[in-house]
Amino acid sequence: MGSRFGADIPTLPNAVMLNLYPDSIGARLSDLVSLLEEPDFDGAFSLLYLLPTCFHSDLDRGFSIIDYDLNEALVRGEDLTALGRRGIQFKFDLVLNHLSVASPQFRDLLRHGDESKYKDFFVDWNTFWHGHGEMGPDGHVIPDPQHLEKLFLRKPGLPILDVRFPDGTERPYWNTFYQQVSYRPVSPAELIAAGVEQSAATTVAMMVNGAVEKGVAPDDIDLDGYNNYRSEALALLDDKREYLGQMDLNARSELVWDFYDETLAKLAGYGAKIIRLDAFAYLHKEPGKPNFFNKPGTWDYLDRLRSIARRYNLIVFPEVHAEYGKRLHEEVAAEGYPIYDFFLPGLVIGALQQGTAVTLKRWIREIQTKGLQTINMLGCHDGIPVLDLRGATVDDVARPGLLDDERIDGVMEGIIHHGGRVKNLYGPDGKKIAYYQINATFFSALGEDERKLLLARAIQLFMPGIPQIWYLDLFAGRNDYAAADAGGTAGHKEINRTGLSLAAARNDLQRPIVRDQLALIRLRNTSRAFAGEATVADTADHRLEVSWRNGADRVTLKADLAACTFEVIVQNASGEERRLSFA
């Protein structure tokens, strides 16, 4: 597939990016501002990926957006301005597929129903599937079998949230991700006002509220000897319905595209340079398609978004999680988009486990040969990818992965042995079909070996692409098992999100593992050599030698993966050479 973008492809800035929540270090972003203004951080970072709790949100640690105004409990405009004065630009998320039920648009729909300006802003399930299915007994259109079997679903059952309109009717709306319906307690006084006898009101209230607390659906509530008041009680309970969730947007609506335009303008105003398109692959929906990366519709939507972003001097890139063997990352890159290098974390862990750089060398050369623009990482706010390394069968042709299944199992088992928590994917029958990612700090995934962490960081910084540094890895953070255990359904993610006090972060700056990482990061962020070309030397399997050259400036990494040692050689235009050794 030829690129629709031609030669006019925006280039990622050559800089190192820090990644964190606004309250990951200290209580709010102003604490991070004060830390980054200290001399230890001079020249270290030129980009900041600020996760979306910096906006108003209510779920999924920021990825259920209410609106894109700054959450001033954590971030103020002056914080962003101060970081801008330090030469820092921002990467933000635009969550394409959905908005929170608490968004102004969805609240307007709940308030005004068919009269709402935003009636078609979200995806009415029955309207979408009209003519492509049969009405089921619960008022939901059930897609025809040939359509239903193609749907990519993130949870059991149809992705629907029933929404009560002001006229009392129920309308099913598309809800790919999280949803929860709850009910505020009813009071005896409210029941009396609704027509329940005073002598029965207290008992009925206790029965209704008790059933709701136990998770009984309203239609299944049995009032035993008081069922003659059931209609009054359920009508009152229905008035007390509350929603929590992420509602899919209807990209067929021009109002949605107006919203994207307004949002990108707002993000640019905050100092954004890069916009990560979260959940983009779910946005294009069409009967008969899987509704995950539908083609060509997804390409058309991405082209339109990129055109909008160019007006605000923004670079957009879609997050692509898929098996290496599917080559989906290559398709996205061929269209002129930067991609995440989700392969690197597992490759580095595998290389250090085996003491060999063979696959790393091959991957570096592949990035260069295929002209991939990448943002790479070791750790991040989510897990360490494993599924991405696998092969796949496409059109009955088996394509190998970056690692074979035995090596992938070794990577996975090593992380789990060191305390990682696993998130799996499941098929319609409930059986596990694949390991998706493993949640751990990168330091813990490496057995909390400081030599391995420092070597891993050096490898990342010498890879092609923009290095993105998870704050907890910079400070050699360990797995937080207490947070993971207390986190409920998604608790596995909290193992790698420990907040650091400002005092703790300042104390950690005295640790050699932190200072050495900062020295490497500062070199990567400031040396002109990294704006040039990289070459990979032919060396023994256990050795990795990567050189970056730009004119007379040259920086070389020489690493022994078996011994976990390396040195960095820096040569500048004046002919001076210095060696940074790490035993």
Side-chain angles (χ1 to χ4, degrees):
M1 179 185 300
S3 173
R4 302 157 195 259
F5 208 54
D8 187 13
I9 298 175
T11 302
L12 289 170
N14 182 44
V16 182
M17 183 188 308
L18 179 63
N19 176 204
L20 77 177
Y21 295 97
D23 56 349
S24 289
I25 298 176
R28 49 179 299 139
L29 190 62
S30 57
D31 291 328
L32 177 69
V33 172
S34 67
L35 185 68
L36 293 183
E37 288 177 344
E38 296 185 4
D40 286 315
F41 286 94
D42 286 348
F45 298 103
S46 297
L47 288 164
L48 177 64
Y49 175 20
L50 202 56
L51 287 157
T53 51
C54 61
F55 311 124
H56 295 136
S57 60
D58 59 2
L59 274 176
D60 197 16
R61 198 67 187 271
F63 286 93
S64 180
I65 301 288
I66 296 172
D67 62 54
Y68 287 87
D69 291 342
L70 294 179
N71 173 10
E72 293 201 347
L74 298 178
V75 180
R76 298 171 302 180
E78 50 262 45
D79 301 330
L80 302 181
T81 300
L83 290 168
R85 287 196 298 265
R86 289 278 291 180
I88 292 178
Q89 295 176 303
F90 298 95
K91 172 182 158 189
F92 292 117
D93 286 282
L94 173 56
V95 183
L96 283 180
N97 181 69
H98 49 265
L99 277 177
S100 166
V101 297
S103 65
Q105 296 89 341
F106 195 77
R107 288 191 176 277
D108 191 89
L109 176 65
L110 292 176
R111 187 177 305 113
H112 299 293
D114 286 319
E115 303 304 315
S116 172
K117 173 183 178 181
Y118 298 103
K119 179 176 180 292
D120 297 321
F121 195 84
F122 303 93
V123 184
D124 183 310
W125 176 270
N126 285 354
T127 299
F128 179 90
W129 288 106
H130 179 72
H132 301 283
E134 298 292 333
M135 184 64 69
D138 54 4
H140 304 156
V141 172
I142 301 174
D144 292 332
Q146 68 269 25
H147 299 324
L148 189 58
E149 68 185 11
K150 292 180 180 178
L151 279 179
F152 180 81
L153 303 175
R154 288 290 300 249
K155 57 190 178 185
L158 296 177
I160 290 171
L161 176 67
D162 283 317
V163 176
R164 185 176 185 269
F165 271 35
D167 62 5
T169 60
E170 299 274 349
R171 310 287 179 90
Y173 275 80
W174 201 312
N175 167 254
T176 294
F177 294 93
Y178 183 88
Q179 65 164 264
Q180 178 180 312
V181 179
S182 60
Y183 299 87
R184 300 189 310 277
V186 301
S187 70
E190 290 170 323
L191 287 166
I192 292 169
V196 177
E197 292 289 336
Q198 184 172 355
S199 59
T202 299
T203 302
V204 171
M206 290 176 60
M207 295 174 76
V208 169
N209 294 334
V212 169
E213 287 178 6
K214 293 177 181 177
V216 178
D219 288 345
D220 296 330
I221 292 176
D222 183 4
L223 296 181
D224 198 13
Y226 296 90
N227 275 319
N228 54 313
Y229 297 121
R230 193 169 183 276
S231 61
E232 292 87 349
L234 294 188
L236 176 60
L237 185 63
D238 204 41
D239 286 337
K240 292 176 168 288
R241 185 188 306 186
E242 294 182 334
Y243 303 97
L244 192 62
Q246 297 152 294
M247 304 307 298
D248 288 37
L249 301 183
N250 177 17
R252 300 177 183 182
S253 167
E254 286 303 310
L255 281 179
V256 169
W257 290 95
D258 291 342
F259 170 73
Y260 291 151
D261 193 319
E262 293 164 5
T263 300
L264 288 171
K266 183 176 292 187
L267 298 180
Y270 295 151
K273 180 65 176 177
I274 303 171
I275 303 298
R276 172 182 173 271
L277 302 178
D278 181 74
F280 80 97
Y282 298 91
L283 183 63
H284 186 273
K285 296 175 170 64
E286 181 180 339
K289 298 281 189 178
N291 294 314
F292 178 82
F293 213 119
N294 293 342
K295 300 174 187 177
T298 298
W299 295 123
D300 296 335
Y301 285 178
L302 287 175
D303 285 347
R304 187 171 179 182
L305 283 159
R306 180 162 52 186
S307 295
I308 298 170
R310 290 180 67 200
R311 297 205 300 268
Y312 304 111
N313 196 29
L314 296 171
I315 297 170
V316 294
F317 82 102
E319 178 192 25
V320 181
H321 260 304
E323 295 95 330
Y324 171 85
K326 289 183 177 177
R327 304 291 197 270
L328 188 56
H329 63 285
E330 290 184 17
E331 288 188 51
V332 173
E335 292 292 322
Y337 294 97
I339 60 168
Y340 261 139
D341 183 353
F342 282 126
F343 310 109
L344 184 63
L347 289 180
V348 169
I349 291 172
L352 294 177
Q353 282 179 342
Q354 300 289 322
T356 175
V358 171
T359 308
L360 280 171
K361 295 174 192 177
R362 177 163 65 87
W363 177 232
I364 293 171
R365 291 177 175 128
E366 185 173 333
I367 292 172
Q368 294 176 315
T369 300
K370 295 180 178 177
L372 307 180
Q373 282 197 78
T374 62
I375 295 174
N376 62 50
M377 71 196 72
L378 299 178
C380 68
H381 74 282
D382 221 335
I384 297 171
V386 179
L387 175 69
D388 302 67
L389 296 168
R390 299 180 64 190
T393 300
V394 180
D395 296 329
D396 296 324
V397 176
R399 295 175 174 176
L402 272 171
L403 297 180
D404 60 33
D405 287 347
E406 183 178 354
R407 291 278 303 278
I408 293 171
D409 287 344
V411 170
M412 175 190 68
E413 290 165 6
I415 302 172
I416 294 173
H417 175 73
H418 292 129
R421 302 288 174 94
V422 180
K423 177 184 178 181
N424 300 317
L425 292 179
Y426 294 86
D429 58 0
K431 293 182 179 179
K432 183 176 70 179
I433 58 175
Y435 287 101
Y436 176 51
Q437 58 190 17
I438 305 177
N439 294 87
T441 71
F442 208 79
F443 183 47
S444 289
L446 294 173
E448 299 179 2
D449 185 324
E450 292 187 356
R451 294 182 312 148
K452 288 184 176 180
L453 178 62
L454 192 60
L455 176 53
R457 181 69 66 214
I459 292 169
Q460 180 199 13
L461 294 170
F462 274 78
M463 289 290 296
I466 302 306
Q468 178 177 293
I469 313 292
W470 182 237
Y471 77 100
L472 201 54
D473 294 339
L474 174 62
F475 291 98
R478 293 175 166 84
N479 286 343
D480 190 338
Y481 301 110
D485 292 340
T489 304
H492 56 282
K493 296 183 178 182
E494 299 305 316
I495 202 170
N496 186 31
R497 297 176 176 178
T498 306
L500 303 176
S501 70
L502 192 55
R506 284 181 169 136
N507 287 337
D508 280 347
L509 287 174
Q510 307 311 311
R511 296 168 60 193
I513 183 60
V514 179
R515 300 190 71 82
D516 287 345
Q517 284 189 81
L518 280 171
L520 290 170
I521 289 167
R522 189 176 298 109
L523 175 66
R524 173 64 178 82
N525 195 56
T526 59
S527 172
R528 291 182 66 254
F530 289 101
E533 298 293 328
T535 57
V536 182
D538 290 323
T539 56
D541 289 353
H542 67 287
R543 293 189 178 276
L544 176 67
E545 183 175 325
V546 182
S547 294
W548 285 84
R549 181 192 292 272
N550 183 14
D553 291 286
R554 182 171 181 171
V555 181
T556 302
L557 169 69
K558 293 185 177 182
D560 183 331
L561 274 67
C564 276
T565 59
F566 69 95
E567 66 174 350
V568 174
I569 304 166
V570 182
Q571 298 165 296
N572 60 28
S574 61
E576 296 175 350
E577 178 179 301
R578 58 191 176 101
R579 292 175 178 257
L580 309 175
S581 297
F582 301 88

